[in-house]
Amino acid sequence: MLWYHGGYKYIDKINLKRGNKRTDFGRGFYLGSSFEMAKTWALDRFPPNGEAPTIICYEVDDAVFSGGALDLLRFDAPSKEWLEFVKLNRRKDLSQTAEPRHSHDMVFGHIANDMAADTIEAFVKEEIGWEEALKQIKTVPDVFQLSLHTPLSLEYIKVLKYWQLVGDEWKQLES
């Protein structure tokens, strides 16, 4: 299965400790199922120092999804369990929940649309309950994220190709 990472440079060695602590599935390396969404992520993360927006295409071993190879936590739809997991990972109070916040090799789930951030933050702050949060959250149809959290998970992915934005055009380059 093909997955994409959008950023601002080609990554030849993934450092799992570089990721943001307060993300949906915890600190890790995130891939998305949509090339178009990876473009958006790459353009949003474009640094002012002149590095080019980059999309890297990875192949993820099917054994990840067929069971047994890794500890894969899978959320097939937003649910109370999904919200509680996101809440755990987005908590600001790091003294009560040490890093890493879970022991899963990979986590799979839908990508919530941009409007979900406020809803999830209200749920994290306990301003709304999970029932109300689930009513408000919309996911991007047929777009998923896969986060990698352990060195073992990195053994199940390989780079196939990558693109960089050159002028106004995405150019495929050799990895």
Side-chain angles (χ1 to χ4, degrees):
M1 186 172 205
L2 300 182
W3 293 84
Y4 305 92
H5 179 84
Y8 57 87
K9 64 181 178 178
Y10 178 77
I11 299 169
D12 56 351
K13 183 169 173 35
I14 296 169
N15 181 348
L16 294 171
K17 294 181 181 181
R18 286 200 67 223
N20 188 334
K21 289 181 184 179
R22 294 187 61 236
T23 52
D24 289 352
F25 298 156
R27 178 180 276 170
F29 187 75
Y30 282 72
L31 303 172
S33 63
S34 164
F35 182 82
E36 291 303 315
M37 186 154 291
K39 277 186 187 178
T40 300
W41 290 334
L43 293 169
D44 286 350
R45 291 182 176 94
F46 183 57
N49 64 3
E51 294 193 60
T54 303
I55 300 168
I56 307 169
C57 177
Y58 292 88
E59 181 176 39
V60 176
D61 189 327
D62 289 338
V64 166
F65 299 101
S66 62
L70 296 173
D71 177 0
L72 172 70
L73 179 59
R74 186 178 181 121
F75 296 104
D76 290 315
S79 63
K80 179 181 179 186
E81 293 75 23
W82 173 77
L83 280 170
E84 291 293 345
F85 189 73
V86 170
K87 179 180 178 179
L88 169 73
N89 289 300
R90 287 193 174 206
R91 283 183 61 150
K92 290 181 182 177
D93 182 2
L94 298 179
S95 64
Q96 291 187 13
T97 311
E99 289 286 338
R101 297 183 181 189
H102 63 79
S103 60
H104 304 288
D105 295 309
M106 291 183 178
V107 181
F108 169 90
H110 281 271
I111 295 176
N113 68 13
D114 290 341
M115 303 307 290
D118 291 338
T119 300
I120 291 171
E121 194 63 28
F123 177 73
V124 168
K125 292 179 179 177
E126 299 180 354
E127 295 169 353
I128 61 173
W130 67 269
E131 295 98 341
E132 181 60 29
L134 287 177
K135 286 179 189 174
Q136 294 179 21
I137 290 175
K138 303 294 181 226
T139 58
V140 179
D142 301 319
V143 178
F144 304 93
Q145 60 184 334
L146 180 68
S147 57
L148 291 71
H149 301 277
T150 64
L152 179 61
S153 68
L154 299 178
E155 295 177 19
Y156 288 83
I157 67 169
K158 70 177 181 180
V159 174
L160 293 182
K161 51 192 164 189
Y162 78 105
W163 298 263
Q164 283 189 325
L165 187 61
V166 179
D168 293 333
E169 190 175 334
W170 287 94
K171 300 273 187 181
Q172 185 174 330
L173 303 169
E174 296 295 321
S175 58

